[in-house]
Amino acid sequence: MPSERKLPSPRATLRCKVILAGDACVGKTSLCSMFHSKGTVFPKNYKLTAGVELVVSTVLIPDTNTTVELQIFDTGGQDIFREYADKYWAGLGMIVLVYDCTSQESFDNCATWLDSLKKHRLQKEKPITGVLVANKSDLSERQVVSSAAAEEWAQSHNLEFFECASMPPGRDVDAPFNYVANQWYKAYEDKMLAVKAMV
């Protein structure tokens, strides 16, 4: 019987500051909890995120021995916490912008969130990068924001679009975070190639 193939030890860990933003009650914390716990932890009782909570998760990049450590800053969606949260946004690497597909208002407010986040990106000369997430996709009968409209908006703002459901058992909750990690790794590799080309 052939021996089980072992993955090599990670040769590098890349760290990415990720801002998780969006209106209150869109399910940001639930989405983050389900991703971080690999689907085992879902907050049964609604708890308002006061300011910012930090969650750290690692993603192994496929076909490499490199991991990306996502330092996810879960931002409270209430206006009262916005000024407080701003202090933690400086030097953001990627964004995960979340709305509730059953709430037109939460989708409309994504533009305001995005404008606020743009001021804190690492490379101000480049577009902000990340994902737009339609949460609660399991509530299709109550959906008011069309997937097509949301995807078009995301593409026009240099964001990748994902649809998820954080309610257990969860649906595609890993996808947006894995995408962010892979894009961060790709950006790192591109930088290294550019540096080598200059030598």
Side-chain angles (χ1 to χ4, degrees), residues 23-193:
D23 282 2
C25 304
V26 298
K28 299 184 300 296
T29 299
S30 299
L31 194 68
C32 189
S33 295
M34 288 289 282
F35 165 67
H36 180 64
S37 68
K38 302 186 185 306
T40 63
V41 176
F42 177 82
K44 293 183 179 179
N45 297 315
Y46 177 70
K47 178 184 176 183
L48 184 68
T49 300
V52 173
E53 292 184 1
L54 174 62
V55 175
V56 179
S57 287
T58 57
V59 175
L60 178 63
I61 304 302
D63 303 318
T64 76
N65 52 359
T66 300
T67 60
V68 174
E69 181 183 275
L70 299 179
Q71 300 172 349
I72 306 168
F73 288 75
D74 180 7
T75 302
Q78 297 280 356
D79 288 340
I80 192 174
F81 300 129
R82 187 76 63 90
E83 184 177 348
Y84 175 76
D86 275 2
K87 299 174 183 178
Y88 293 88
W89 290 357
L92 69 87
M94 303 279 279
I95 67 167
V96 176
L97 188 55
V98 185
Y99 73 94
D100 174 355
C101 70
T102 70
S103 166
Q104 183 68 46
E105 182 180 9
S106 70
F107 174 69
D108 293 341
N109 287 341
C110 285
T112 302
W113 283 103
L114 188 60
D115 285 343
S116 297
L117 289 162
K118 283 178 180 178
K119 302 171 187 175
H120 301 278
R121 62 188 184 276
L122 280 172
Q123 298 175 303
K124 298 189 184 301
E125 72 281 2
K126 293 186 177 181
I128 199 165
T129 54
V131 298
L132 174 69
V133 178
N135 194 22
K136 307 184 184 181
S137 63
D138 52 323
L139 304 177
S140 56
E141 71 282 356
R142 292 167 50 190
Q143 182 173 349
V144 296
V145 182
S146 76
S147 300
E151 185 169 16
E152 181 179 357
W153 187 90
Q155 290 176 350
S156 69
H157 291 86
N158 198 45
L159 302 174
E160 195 71 16
F161 177 64
F162 290 89
E163 294 178 288
C164 302
S166 56
M167 180 69 73
R171 181 189 298 167
D172 300 325
V173 294
D174 291 351
F177 297 101
N178 287 340
Y179 174 85
V180 163
N182 278 274
Q183 288 300 110
W184 189 253
Y185 170 76
K186 182 177 181 297
Y188 169 80
E189 288 290 285
D190 289 345
K191 283 183 183 178
M192 292 300 99
L193 287 173

